[in-house]
Amino acid sequence: QVQLVESGGGSVQAGGSLRLSCVASGNKYSAGCMGWFRQAPGKEREGVAKINTAGSTYYDPSVKGRFTIAQDNAKNTLWLQMNSLKPEDTAMYYCAADTTRTRYCASALRPSDYNYWGQGTQVTVSS
């Protein structure tokens, strides 16, 4: 069992920055891959970024170069640094863990590959 709690969301103007955090508890060392997802009203949940136990990362093209995913060595905290925010980044952001893989992430960035989720934190970007 893994429990995930996100924080750091808020309201910013376009061009601003936010840093999301996700604290993991429980059997946190079992997750081979951690990811950030987001869901805007009326839209499907989509992948933003992922990181595996070795620190290898992947970003959706819509955020590459603006967002950075990172985790601490003990893997109990995951971050998402978001810079140059745009109104289209407005969404509920979720932290997720994949404990079905011990070292590597699934090749795609799909919600169905992750079996533990946080409750989400809202990010609103105004123009």
Side-chain angles (χ1 to χ4, degrees):
Q1 292 287 332
V2 178
Q3 294 79 43
L4 304 172
V5 179
E6 304 97 332
S7 62
S11 297
V12 296
Q13 291 191 329
S17 298
L18 283 173
R19 190 188 198 200
L20 306 184
S21 298
C22 172
V23 177
S25 59
N27 191 14
K28 53 187 178 293
Y29 295 104
S30 65
C33 185
M34 298 290 293
W36 286 99
F37 292 80
R38 64 187 180 186
Q39 188 167 18
K43 295 187 177 181
E44 293 187 353
R45 192 168 296 189
E46 62 179 9
V48 174
K50 61 181 178 178
I51 185 168
N52 67 12
T53 55
S56 295
T57 59
Y58 170 82
Y59 298 91
D60 183 83
S62 66
V63 306
K64 192 172 184 179
R66 300 188 297 122
F67 290 11
T68 302
I69 187 172
Q71 63 187 0
D72 71 353
N73 290 335
K75 295 199 301 180
N76 65 344
T77 305
L78 181 73
W79 295 280
L80 185 68
Q81 177 67 42
M82 304 186 296
N83 298 329
S84 302
L85 283 162
K86 304 175 181 180
E88 51 263 45
D89 294 319
T90 295
M92 185 72 77
Y93 282 72
Y94 298 90
C95 168
D98 177 4
T99 62
T100 66
R101 295 173 176 82
T102 58
R103 295 183 62 187
Y104 302 108
C105 295
S107 56
L109 186 53
R110 300 174 301 195
S112 59
D113 288 323
Y114 295 76
N115 53 338
Y116 289 98
W117 293 84
Q119 83 290 347
T121 186
Q122 178 68 39
V123 172
T124 303
V125 185
S126 58
S127 57

